Amino acid sequence: MSITNTHHGPRVVPGRYAGEAILVHDGPTPQQIIDAEQRGHADGLAGRICAAAADAACCQYVLLELLGEFDAMNAMRYWRDFKSLAHWLSWCCSMTPGVAREHVRVAKALRRMPTIAGLFREGRLSYSKVREVTRVVDVVDEQRLAELALTATASQLARMIAGFRSADGVRIAQ
């Protein structure tokens, strides 16, 4: 009798072993199971991180919306001893003066950009992207800026905005 005659079917290693047949590739390996579990956990964390970033964007929008309204009603007239809205914001919200000035600039620009403001409010745009597009609020069409902001990374958008800002008025339309 040959070894092939004692073979116990497909997926079984024939040989001289007298014990039970040894199955080959009987499901995932223990390491594959661990990797699959870790991948599932990583996917869950990734989803939670993205949701938290969207929530942060919504909160950032609320801060800037309130700041814009505060500025529009000239509420600083009720606070003495502050040089500007940015100075007050820096003091009351523990921001560096540069960050506070940038928040005030973005808040003022957002009041003139309803499409961008809406996307920001929904958490679809990050503060980084909104900060960039507000730099060209009156130079580039807002709808075009919204399309760019939704499709580009923040880094790509920053480079595009820098290009818009360096172009003269004639070339901007191109």
Side-chain angles (χ1 to χ4, degrees):
M1 180 182 281
S2 74
I3 290 178
T4 56
N5 291 339
T6 61
H7 186 260
H8 297 290
R11 300 175 49 192
V12 177
V13 176
R16 296 185 195 164
Y17 178 66
E20 294 291 319
I22 301 171
L23 296 176
V24 178
H25 301 297
D26 189 29
T29 66
Q31 186 59 48
Q32 289 171 325
I33 292 170
I34 291 169
D35 287 346
E37 289 171 356
Q38 289 178 344
R39 174 61 190 249
H41 183 65
D43 285 345
L45 285 174
R48 290 175 60 198
I49 289 167
C50 291
D55 288 346
C58 292
C59 290
Q60 189 74 36
Y61 169 79
V62 170
L63 172 65
L64 293 173
E65 181 183 42
L66 294 171
L67 186 58
E69 184 177 341
F70 192 84
D71 180 54
M73 67 177 284
N74 192 27
M76 280 303 302
R77 69 181 182 264
Y78 300 113
W79 276 264
R80 306 280 184 237
D81 302 324
F82 290 101
K83 298 174 187 175
S84 66
L85 177 55
H87 183 222
W88 174 83
L89 184 64
S90 175
W91 174 78
C92 78
C93 294
S94 299
M95 294 180 186
T96 64
V99 169
R101 281 190 301 274
E102 192 67 355
H103 274 65
V104 170
R105 184 193 66 74
V106 172
K108 288 179 178 184
L110 268 179
R111 294 179 70 78
R112 300 190 325 258
M113 301 179 86
T115 303
I116 296 294
L119 293 169
F120 191 25
R121 179 179 41 250
E122 294 167 6
R124 295 180 61 199
L125 294 179
S126 67
Y127 173 71
S128 296
K129 289 183 174 187
V130 170
R131 185 183 64 232
E132 291 301 328
V133 298
T134 57
R135 295 182 196 284
V136 290
V137 62
D138 294 321
V139 179
V140 180
D141 176 61
E142 184 188 7
Q143 202 58 40
R144 175 81 171 125
L145 289 172
E147 291 170 14
L148 291 173
L150 286 170
T151 57
T153 66
S155 177
Q156 291 168 336
L157 187 61
R159 286 192 302 274
M160 287 185 262
I161 298 301
F164 288 143
R165 293 178 74 198
S166 68
D168 60 23
V170 174
R171 290 182 37 217
I172 290 274
Q174 296 173 348

